[in-house]
Amino acid sequence: MKNIAIIMGGYSSEYKISLISGNVVYQFLDKTKFNGFRIHIFKEKWVYVDDKDAEFPIDKNDFSTTVNGTKITFDCVFNAIHGTPGEDGLMQAYFELIGMPQTSCDYYQSALTFNKRDLLSVLKPYGIKTATSYYLNKGDHIDTTEIVKAVGLPCFVKPNKSGSSFGISKVKTANELPIAIEVAYKEDNEIIIESFLDGTEVSVGVINYKGIVTVLPITEIVSENDFFDYEAKYQGKSQEITPARISDEMTKRVSEVAKRAYEVLKMKGFSRSEFIFVNGEPYMLEMNTIPGLTTESLIPQQAKAAGISLEDLFSNAIELALPE
């Protein structure tokens, strides 16, 4: 039996979603193969939390814990932290330094994909289309005329490094820009402002399944709100239709692009990319490397449509991470 540390929590606004994801992994872990341990990672403490909610500190020297005088070490880490430090490369680099296998991509890929600007810049030479964008850093002069000229209206103002749609606004008039920029700065000191793409939005999961890069059935996002925001994602304010109601040609096109991005970046583990179709062409918005794993989340929905159970999905991720 392998000991699996399921890390959850984190330092960002997404910690609550991460705790739900981590508990789903814990619940569906194959108990015949793995002993699961819930590890809460917070700025003020790293602790193992047992089934009675007792907490035992994690020794950061080797990522072990001691329970009633017995030292527990882990064979592998299942990473379920959305946002920093689990999705931006910090935990990945730490685990690489101490020689601990973990289920997500490596630290460079993690840091790159977490930075929307850098990700899209790296993928552009591979023919992957993106929205027109304008960048701001905290302290930069805000010239609303210049921004509108560059990206048009409506447009989206987003924190460059944040998830779960925290800090994103859809801006319809030039007057709304400064307010939206302030909202985004609450999440990050870098901002990306993007042109509005009017078309069908889809979410594409790509995983390494039994050693083969596999595109999962595609989900179409129909949001009741202006866009696929936090409420739409987690509070039922959207329809998520799997498989998406798009033509076979569109399905083939976006699957190829999502797979190419996964392979070009030398990804591992799960990835979920968002695209909008404009005139039949997929435009990439972003890529998540620690996508939500709650039972309502998109990757579990897509896996189910592909005939992959959560138990199998999680076992596969651990088995691929463990050394041969």
PDB file of all heavy atoms in Angstrom, residues 136-164:
ATOM      1  N   LEU A 136      -0.971  45.700 -18.384  1.00  0.00           N
ATOM      2  CA  LEU A 136      -0.710  46.761 -17.396  1.00  0.00           C
ATOM      3  C   LEU A 136      -0.045  46.140 -16.174  1.00  0.00           C
ATOM      4  O   LEU A 136      -0.397  45.032 -15.768  1.00  0.00           O
ATOM      5  CB  LEU A 136      -2.029  47.392 -16.925  1.00  0.00           C
ATOM      6  CG  LEU A 136      -2.692  48.481 -17.765  1.00  0.00           C
ATOM      7  CD1 LEU A 136      -4.006  48.874 -17.094  1.00  0.00           C
ATOM      8  CD2 LEU A 136      -1.802  49.711 -17.922  1.00  0.00           C
ATOM      9  N   ASN A 137       0.897  46.884 -15.594  1.00  0.00           N
ATOM     10  CA  ASN A 137       1.472  46.513 -14.301  1.00  0.00           C
ATOM     11  C   ASN A 137       1.103  47.592 -13.292  1.00  0.00           C
ATOM     12  O   ASN A 137       0.946  48.759 -13.662  1.00  0.00           O
ATOM     13  CB  ASN A 137       3.000  46.407 -14.376  1.00  0.00           C
ATOM     14  CG  ASN A 137       3.436  45.238 -15.236  1.00  0.00           C
ATOM     15  OD1 ASN A 137       2.660  44.309 -15.460  1.00  0.00           O
ATOM     16  ND2 ASN A 137       4.652  45.276 -15.723  1.00  0.00           N
ATOM     17  N   LYS A 138       0.972  47.203 -12.036  1.00  0.00           N
ATOM     18  CA  LYS A 138       0.578  48.151 -10.984  1.00  0.00           C
ATOM     19  C   LYS A 138       1.501  49.365 -11.025  1.00  0.00           C
ATOM     20  O   LYS A 138       2.723  49.223 -11.091  1.00  0.00           O
ATOM     21  CB  LYS A 138       0.642  47.482  -9.615  1.00  0.00           C
ATOM     22  CG  LYS A 138      -0.088  48.291  -8.564  1.00  0.00           C
ATOM     23  CD  LYS A 138      -0.865  47.412  -7.619  1.00  0.00           C
ATOM     24  CE  LYS A 138      -1.874  48.273  -6.892  1.00  0.00           C
ATOM     25  NZ  LYS A 138      -2.726  47.509  -6.026  1.00  0.00           N
ATOM     26  N   GLY A 139       0.907  50.552 -10.999  1.00  0.00           N
ATOM     27  CA  GLY A 139       1.728  51.765 -11.042  1.00  0.00           C
ATOM     28  C   GLY A 139       1.814  52.364 -12.434  1.00  0.00           C
ATOM     29  O   GLY A 139       2.168  53.528 -12.600  1.00  0.00           O
ATOM     30  N   ASP A 140       1.486  51.554 -13.468  1.00  0.00           N
ATOM     31  CA  ASP A 140       1.505  52.079 -14.848  1.00  0.00           C
ATOM     32  C   ASP A 140       0.431  53.147 -15.020  1.00  0.00           C
ATOM     33  O   ASP A 140      -0.642  53.073 -14.407  1.00  0.00           O
ATOM     34  CB  ASP A 140       1.207  50.954 -15.865  1.00  0.00           C
ATOM     35  CG  ASP A 140       2.383  50.014 -16.079  1.00  0.00           C
ATOM     36  OD1 ASP A 140       3.442  50.265 -15.479  1.00  0.00           O
ATOM     37  OD2 ASP A 140       2.233  49.032 -16.831  1.00  0.00           O
ATOM     38  N   HIS A 141       0.700  54.099 -15.910  1.00  0.00           N
ATOM     39  CA  HIS A 141      -0.300  55.112 -16.266  1.00  0.00           C
ATOM     40  C   HIS A 141      -1.436  54.423 -17.032  1.00  0.00           C
ATOM     41  O   HIS A 141      -1.181  53.584 -17.901  1.00  0.00           O
ATOM     42  CB  HIS A 141       0.361  56.193 -17.134  1.00  0.00           C
ATOM     43  CG  HIS A 141      -0.635  57.140 -17.734  1.00  0.00           C
ATOM     44  ND1 HIS A 141      -1.408  57.981 -16.964  1.00  0.00           N
ATOM     45  CD2 HIS A 141      -1.006  57.355 -19.035  1.00  0.00           C
ATOM     46  CE1 HIS A 141      -2.206  58.685 -17.764  1.00  0.00           C
ATOM     47  NE2 HIS A 141      -1.981  58.322 -19.020  1.00  0.00           N
ATOM     48  N   ILE A 142      -2.679  54.766 -16.686  1.00  0.00           N
ATOM     49  CA  ILE A 142      -3.831  54.154 -17.359  1.00  0.00           C
ATOM     50  C   ILE A 142      -4.376  55.139 -18.391  1.00  0.00           C
ATOM     51  O   ILE A 142      -4.897  56.200 -18.028  1.00  0.00           O
ATOM     52  CB  ILE A 142      -4.937  53.778 -16.336  1.00  0.00           C
ATOM     53  CG1 ILE A 142      -4.397  52.758 -15.321  1.00  0.00           C
ATOM     54  CG2 ILE A 142      -6.163  53.215 -17.046  1.00  0.00           C
ATOM     55  CD1 ILE A 142      -5.239  52.619 -14.070  1.00  0.00           C
ATOM     56  N   ASP A 143      -4.225  54.790 -19.663  1.00  0.00           N
ATOM     57  CA  ASP A 143      -4.735  55.626 -20.755  1.00  0.00           C
ATOM     58  C   ASP A 143      -5.921  54.893 -21.368  1.00  0.00           C
ATOM     59  O   ASP A 143      -5.756  54.000 -22.204  1.00  0.00           O
ATOM     60  CB  ASP A 143      -3.612  55.830 -21.792  1.00  0.00           C
ATOM     61  CG  ASP A 143      -4.039  56.771 -22.910  1.00  0.00           C
ATOM     62  OD1 ASP A 143      -5.263  56.878 -23.163  1.00  0.00           O
ATOM     63  OD2 ASP A 143      -3.156  57.379 -23.548  1.00  0.00           O
ATOM     64  N   THR A 144      -7.126  55.266 -20.916  1.00  0.00           N
ATOM     65  CA  THR A 144      -8.321  54.513 -21.349  1.00  0.00           C
ATOM     66  C   THR A 144      -8.516  54.592 -22.866  1.00  0.00           C
ATOM     67  O   THR A 144      -8.906  53.604 -23.489  1.00  0.00           O
ATOM     68  CB  THR A 144      -9.599  55.010 -20.634  1.00  0.00           C
ATOM     69  OG1 THR A 144      -9.659  56.423 -20.739  1.00  0.00           O
ATOM     70  CG2 THR A 144      -9.618  54.624 -19.180  1.00  0.00           C
ATOM     71  N   THR A 145      -8.212  55.751 -23.463  1.00  0.00           N
ATOM     72  CA  THR A 145      -8.371  55.900 -24.928  1.00  0.00           C
ATOM     73  C   THR A 145      -7.479  54.900 -25.657  1.00  0.00           C
ATOM     74  O   THR A 145      -7.905  54.231 -26.609  1.00  0.00           O
ATOM     75  CB  THR A 145      -7.997  57.340 -25.357  1.00  0.00           C
ATOM     76  OG1 THR A 145      -8.642  58.252 -24.464  1.00  0.00           O
ATOM     77  CG2 THR A 145      -8.438  57.633 -26.774  1.00  0.00           C
ATOM     78  N   GLU A 146      -6.245  54.802 -25.182  1.00  0.00           N
ATOM     79  CA  GLU A 146      -5.270  53.892 -25.809  1.00  0.00           C
ATOM     80  C   GLU A 146      -5.725  52.433 -25.658  1.00  0.00           C
ATOM     81  O   GLU A 146      -5.626  51.632 -26.593  1.00  0.00           O
ATOM     82  CB  GLU A 146      -3.898  54.091 -25.136  1.00  0.00           C
ATOM     83  CG  GLU A 146      -2.764  53.419 -25.869  1.00  0.00           C
ATOM     84  CD  GLU A 146      -1.445  53.523 -25.105  1.00  0.00           C
ATOM     85  OE1 GLU A 146      -1.193  54.574 -24.471  1.00  0.00           O
ATOM     86  OE2 GLU A 146      -0.699  52.542 -25.125  1.00  0.00           O
ATOM     87  N   ILE A 147      -6.227  52.089 -24.464  1.00  0.00           N
ATOM     88  CA  ILE A 147      -6.680  50.710 -24.201  1.00  0.00           C
ATOM     89  C   ILE A 147      -7.842  50.352 -25.136  1.00  0.00           C
ATOM     90  O   ILE A 147      -7.828  49.306 -25.785  1.00  0.00           O
ATOM     91  CB  ILE A 147      -7.088  50.523 -22.718  1.00  0.00           C
ATOM     92  CG1 ILE A 147      -5.870  50.698 -21.806  1.00  0.00           C
ATOM     93  CG2 ILE A 147      -7.722  49.146 -22.493  1.00  0.00           C
ATOM     94  CD1 ILE A 147      -6.182  50.804 -20.320  1.00  0.00           C
ATOM     95  N   VAL A 148      -8.836  51.263 -25.209  1.00  0.00           N
ATOM     96  CA  VAL A 148     -10.014  51.001 -26.051  1.00  0.00           C
ATOM     97  C   VAL A 148      -9.596  50.883 -27.520  1.00  0.00           C
ATOM     98  O   VAL A 148     -10.085  50.027 -28.260  1.00  0.00           O
ATOM     99  CB  VAL A 148     -11.085  52.100 -25.851  1.00  0.00           C
ATOM    100  CG1 VAL A 148     -12.203  51.962 -26.872  1.00  0.00           C
ATOM    101  CG2 VAL A 148     -11.654  52.023 -24.435  1.00  0.00           C
ATOM    102  N   LYS A 149      -8.647  51.717 -27.918  1.00  0.00           N
ATOM    103  CA  LYS A 149      -8.160  51.676 -29.310  1.00  0.00           C
ATOM    104  C   LYS A 149      -7.497  50.309 -29.591  1.00  0.00           C
ATOM    105  O   LYS A 149      -7.644  49.731 -30.663  1.00  0.00           O
ATOM    106  CB  LYS A 149      -7.144  52.805 -29.507  1.00  0.00           C
ATOM    107  CG  LYS A 149      -6.819  53.079 -30.966  1.00  0.00           C
ATOM    108  CD  LYS A 149      -5.950  54.310 -31.076  1.00  0.00           C
ATOM    109  CE  LYS A 149      -5.079  54.235 -32.332  1.00  0.00           C
ATOM    110  NZ  LYS A 149      -4.043  55.248 -32.341  1.00  0.00           N
ATOM    111  N   ALA A 150      -6.779  49.804 -28.592  1.00  0.00           N
ATOM    112  CA  ALA A 150      -6.055  48.529 -28.768  1.00  0.00           C
ATOM    113  C   ALA A 150      -6.990  47.319 -28.781  1.00  0.00           C
ATOM    114  O   ALA A 150      -6.845  46.436 -29.625  1.00  0.00           O
ATOM    115  CB  ALA A 150      -5.010  48.368 -27.670  1.00  0.00           C
ATOM    116  N   VAL A 151      -7.930  47.254 -27.834  1.00  0.00           N
ATOM    117  CA  VAL A 151      -8.724  46.011 -27.686  1.00  0.00           C
ATOM    118  C   VAL A 151     -10.205  46.169 -28.028  1.00  0.00           C
ATOM    119  O   VAL A 151     -10.909  45.164 -28.164  1.00  0.00           O
ATOM    120  CB  VAL A 151      -8.590  45.413 -26.257  1.00  0.00           C
ATOM    121  CG1 VAL A 151      -7.150  45.075 -25.944  1.00  0.00           C
ATOM    122  CG2 VAL A 151      -9.166  46.332 -25.195  1.00  0.00           C
ATOM    123  N   GLY A 152     -10.687  47.419 -28.134  1.00  0.00           N
ATOM    124  CA  GLY A 152     -12.103  47.627 -28.448  1.00  0.00           C
ATOM    125  C   GLY A 152     -13.004  47.417 -27.236  1.00  0.00           C
ATOM    126  O   GLY A 152     -12.544  47.077 -26.147  1.00  0.00           O
ATOM    127  N   LEU A 153     -14.289  47.622 -27.441  1.00  0.00           N
ATOM    128  CA  LEU A 153     -15.296  47.418 -26.386  1.00  0.00           C
ATOM    129  C   LEU A 153     -16.385  46.508 -26.944  1.00  0.00           C
ATOM    130  O   LEU A 153     -16.673  46.575 -28.136  1.00  0.00           O
ATOM    131  CB  LEU A 153     -15.909  48.762 -25.970  1.00  0.00           C
ATOM    132  CG  LEU A 153     -15.019  49.689 -25.131  1.00  0.00           C
ATOM    133  CD1 LEU A 153     -15.649  51.066 -25.008  1.00  0.00           C
ATOM    134  CD2 LEU A 153     -14.754  49.106 -23.752  1.00  0.00           C
ATOM    135  N   PRO A 154     -17.021  45.665 -26.121  1.00  0.00           N
ATOM    136  CA  PRO A 154     -16.628  45.382 -24.734  1.00  0.00           C
ATOM    137  C   PRO A 154     -15.276  44.666 -24.680  1.00  0.00           C
ATOM    138  O   PRO A 154     -14.807  44.160 -25.693  1.00  0.00           O
ATOM    139  CB  PRO A 154     -17.761  44.474 -24.233  1.00  0.00           C
ATOM    140  CG  PRO A 154     -18.357  43.878 -25.467  1.00  0.00           C
ATOM    141  CD  PRO A 154     -18.147  44.866 -26.576  1.00  0.00           C
ATOM    142  N   CYS A 155     -14.688  44.660 -23.480  1.00  0.00           N
ATOM    143  CA  CYS A 155     -13.430  43.928 -23.305  1.00  0.00           C
ATOM    144  C   CYS A 155     -13.417  43.294 -21.920  1.00  0.00           C
ATOM    145  O   CYS A 155     -14.290  43.567 -21.097  1.00  0.00           O
ATOM    146  CB  CYS A 155     -12.232  44.868 -23.477  1.00  0.00           C
ATOM    147  SG  CYS A 155     -12.136  46.176 -22.244  1.00  0.00           S
ATOM    148  N   PHE A 156     -12.431  42.429 -21.688  1.00  0.00           N
ATOM    149  CA  PHE A 156     -12.302  41.776 -20.379  1.00  0.00           C
ATOM    150  C   PHE A 156     -11.047  42.264 -19.677  1.00  0.00           C
ATOM    151  O   PHE A 156      -9.987  42.342 -20.299  1.00  0.00           O
ATOM    152  CB  PHE A 156     -12.230  40.252 -20.529  1.00  0.00           C
ATOM    153  CG  PHE A 156     -13.571  39.627 -20.754  1.00  0.00           C
ATOM    154  CD1 PHE A 156     -13.946  39.172 -22.005  1.00  0.00           C
ATOM    155  CD2 PHE A 156     -14.475  39.506 -19.712  1.00  0.00           C
ATOM    156  CE1 PHE A 156     -15.195  38.599 -22.218  1.00  0.00           C
ATOM    157  CE2 PHE A 156     -15.724  38.934 -19.906  1.00  0.00           C
ATOM    158  CZ  PHE A 156     -16.085  38.486 -21.163  1.00  0.00           C
ATOM    159  N   VAL A 157     -11.183  42.585 -18.400  1.00  0.00           N
ATOM    160  CA  VAL A 157     -10.026  42.956 -17.577  1.00  0.00           C
ATOM    161  C   VAL A 157      -9.799  41.806 -16.601  1.00  0.00           C
ATOM    162  O   VAL A 157     -10.716  41.412 -15.875  1.00  0.00           O
ATOM    163  CB  VAL A 157     -10.287  44.272 -16.813  1.00  0.00           C
ATOM    164  CG1 VAL A 157      -9.108  44.620 -15.923  1.00  0.00           C
ATOM    165  CG2 VAL A 157     -10.564  45.407 -17.792  1.00  0.00           C
ATOM    166  N   LYS A 158      -8.583  41.232 -16.622  1.00  0.00           N
ATOM    167  CA  LYS A 158      -8.309  40.044 -15.802  1.00  0.00           C
ATOM    168  C   LYS A 158      -7.006  40.205 -15.043  1.00  0.00           C
ATOM    169  O   LYS A 158      -6.043  40.760 -15.588  1.00  0.00           O
ATOM    170  CB  LYS A 158      -8.131  38.798 -16.692  1.00  0.00           C
ATOM    171  CG  LYS A 158      -9.231  38.502 -17.669  1.00  0.00           C
ATOM    172  CD  LYS A 158      -8.841  37.299 -18.539  1.00  0.00           C
ATOM    173  CE  LYS A 158      -9.943  36.942 -19.516  1.00  0.00           C
ATOM    174  NZ  LYS A 158      -9.576  35.791 -20.358  1.00  0.00           N
ATOM    175  N   PRO A 159      -6.949  39.677 -13.810  1.00  0.00           N
ATOM    176  CA  PRO A 159      -5.646  39.549 -13.160  1.00  0.00           C
ATOM    177  C   PRO A 159      -4.829  38.576 -14.008  1.00  0.00           C
ATOM    178  O   PRO A 159      -5.395  37.616 -14.547  1.00  0.00           O
ATOM    179  CB  PRO A 159      -5.952  38.930 -11.802  1.00  0.00           C
ATOM    180  CG  PRO A 159      -7.437  38.942 -11.667  1.00  0.00           C
ATOM    181  CD  PRO A 159      -8.026  39.070 -13.021  1.00  0.00           C
ATOM    182  N   ASN A 160      -3.535  38.817 -14.144  1.00  0.00           N
ATOM    183  CA  ASN A 160      -2.714  37.935 -14.979  1.00  0.00           C
ATOM    184  C   ASN A 160      -2.537  36.561 -14.343  1.00  0.00           C
ATOM    185  O   ASN A 160      -2.482  35.555 -15.030  1.00  0.00           O
ATOM    186  CB  ASN A 160      -1.352  38.600 -15.212  1.00  0.00           C
ATOM    187  CG  ASN A 160      -0.528  37.855 -16.245  1.00  0.00           C
ATOM    188  OD1 ASN A 160      -1.050  37.297 -17.189  1.00  0.00           O
ATOM    189  ND2 ASN A 160       0.779  37.834 -16.050  1.00  0.00           N
ATOM    190  N   LYS A 161      -2.443  36.541 -12.986  1.00  0.00           N
ATOM    191  CA  LYS A 161      -2.186  35.267 -12.301  1.00  0.00           C
ATOM    192  C   LYS A 161      -3.239  35.048 -11.220  1.00  0.00           C
ATOM    193  O   LYS A 161      -3.061  35.445 -10.080  1.00  0.00           O
ATOM    194  CB  LYS A 161      -0.785  35.280 -11.660  1.00  0.00           C
ATOM    195  CG  LYS A 161       0.342  35.561 -12.645  1.00  0.00           C
ATOM    196  CD  LYS A 161       1.722  35.480 -12.010  1.00  0.00           C
ATOM    197  CE  LYS A 161       2.000  36.554 -10.993  1.00  0.00           C
ATOM    198  NZ  LYS A 161       2.182  37.882 -11.575  1.00  0.00           N
ATOM    199  N   SER A 162      -4.354  34.446 -11.595  1.00  0.00           N
ATOM    200  CA  SER A 162      -5.379  34.114 -10.600  1.00  0.00           C
ATOM    201  C   SER A 162      -6.353  33.168 -11.267  1.00  0.00           C
ATOM    202  O   SER A 162      -6.399  33.077 -12.489  1.00  0.00           O
ATOM    203  CB  SER A 162      -6.083  35.388 -10.122  1.00  0.00           C
ATOM    204  OG  SER A 162      -7.463  35.297 -10.232  1.00  0.00           O
ATOM    205  N   GLY A 163      -7.111  32.430 -10.471  1.00  0.00           N
ATOM    206  CA  GLY A 163      -8.028  31.452 -11.053  1.00  0.00           C
ATOM    207  C   GLY A 163      -9.433  31.628 -10.530  1.00  0.00           C
ATOM    208  O   GLY A 163      -9.729  32.568  -9.802  1.00  0.00           O
ATOM    209  N   SER A 164     -10.303  30.692 -10.916  1.00  0.00           N
ATOM    210  CA  SER A 164     -11.716  30.701 -10.503  1.00  0.00           C
ATOM    211  C   SER A 164     -12.422  32.006 -10.849  1.00  0.00           C
ATOM    212  O   SER A 164     -13.397  32.371 -10.203  1.00  0.00           O
ATOM    213  CB  SER A 164     -11.855  30.423  -9.002  1.00  0.00           C
ATOM    214  OG  SER A 164     -11.562  29.077  -8.745  1.00  0.00           O
TER     215      SER A 164
END
